[in-house]
Amino acid sequence: MEIIGVDTGGTFTDFIFRDKSEWLVHKVPSTPNNPSEAVLKGFEEIGRGKRKQVVHGSTVGTNALLERKGSRTALLTNKGFEDILEIGRQERTDLYKLDYQREKVLIPRDFRFGVSGRLFADGREKEPLDQEEILQIAQRMRELEIETVAIIFLYSYLNPYPEQIAARILKEEGFAVSTSHTIMNEFREYERTSTTVVNAYL
């Protein structure tokens, strides 16, 4: 079996493969609108046999994040927690700089929505999720031309049910969703939020 390594980058898609006793390298221009086209073109140009083991990596997601070219993303969370991305933690890259400025967050304030409904810290329901409010928020998201939604509710790592309900509603309304209990099912709200937001954004 032949092994072919593929790295899909923003400019080139690189191939490395073994031919008898030597390793060879091949490049084709990447196809950003559909990265698989460059991969298939490379396979065709290499002209290798059908029995292959393909190892694939990509910097497409990293590039999209660094260049801020992700989807138009909204955040749905508990009312009162819409600013958790900006509040973050106390860590700073330059502790003693008096005019320190944080990086801009991926989701602007107008794209962050709070909905009524809360869980206790042990996962029991404190206040039921307001499903009508989610439908109203979905309408506002359509007006803002939102494509994807990151859903993060407090204590969802203990009880994912409210996130599941919100995800079902928003999917039915035509949005792609990422939920924190499926992306990072553990405690610490900022970490769950930032990770789920990146997933939705990409």
Side-chain angles (χ1 to χ4, degrees), residues 2-160:
E2 184 175 24
I3 298 175
I4 299 178
V6 184
D7 175 33
T8 301
T11 306
F12 290 102
T13 297
D14 300 311
F15 299 80
I16 184 168
F17 56 97
R18 193 170 180 82
D19 186 15
K20 296 179 183 173
S21 62
E22 64 177 329
W23 287 94
L24 300 175
V25 176
H26 183 68
K27 282 180 172 290
V28 298
S30 290
T31 49
N33 290 337
N34 185 352
S36 66
E37 289 176 6
V39 174
L40 295 173
K41 185 171 190 277
F43 284 152
E44 186 180 307
E45 291 179 3
I46 290 170
R48 316 308 293 170
K50 289 187 177 180
R51 296 187 66 201
K52 301 181 181 78
Q53 177 184 351
V54 177
V55 180
H56 183 262
S58 175
T59 58
V60 171
T62 306
N63 293 343
L65 186 60
L66 292 174
E67 296 169 12
R68 300 295 178 110
K69 292 183 177 176
S71 63
R72 202 166 166 90
T73 306
L75 169 66
L76 181 69
T77 189
N78 299 99
K79 197 166 279 187
F81 287 82
E82 299 90 337
D83 296 324
I84 193 165
L85 278 177
E86 288 185 287
I87 295 169
R89 296 234 176 265
Q90 292 297 317
E91 292 90 354
R92 292 166 49 149
T93 53
D94 196 336
L95 187 61
Y96 298 106
K97 189 173 182 180
L98 296 177
D99 60 347
Y100 177 80
Q101 296 290 319
R102 286 183 184 268
E103 290 286 327
K104 286 187 177 177
V105 296
L106 289 177
I107 301 180
R109 186 63 181 85
D110 291 346
F111 292 5
R112 301 193 304 254
F113 301 92
V115 64
S116 301
R118 287 288 292 272
L119 296 175
F120 285 109
D122 61 4
R124 290 179 298 116
E125 185 178 80
K126 178 179 182 182
E127 176 188 355
L129 185 66
D130 191 330
Q131 298 182 37
E132 277 301 314
E133 194 174 357
I134 294 174
L135 288 170
Q136 293 166 12
I137 291 170
Q139 178 56 39
R140 179 70 183 124
M141 288 178 181
R142 267 193 294 278
E143 292 167 4
L144 293 168
E145 299 179 351
I146 296 298
E147 298 167 309
T148 62
V149 183
I151 303 172
I152 300 95
F153 292 143
L154 294 174
Y155 311 116
S156 60
Y157 59 91
L158 294 172
N159 179 0

Side-chain angles (χ1 to χ4, degrees), residues 173-188:
E173 293 296 311
F175 298 98
V177 301
S178 293
T179 54
S180 75
H181 75 275
T182 57
I183 302 299
M184 189 177 179
N185 194 29
E186 52 189 73
F187 82 112
R188 295 204 181 278

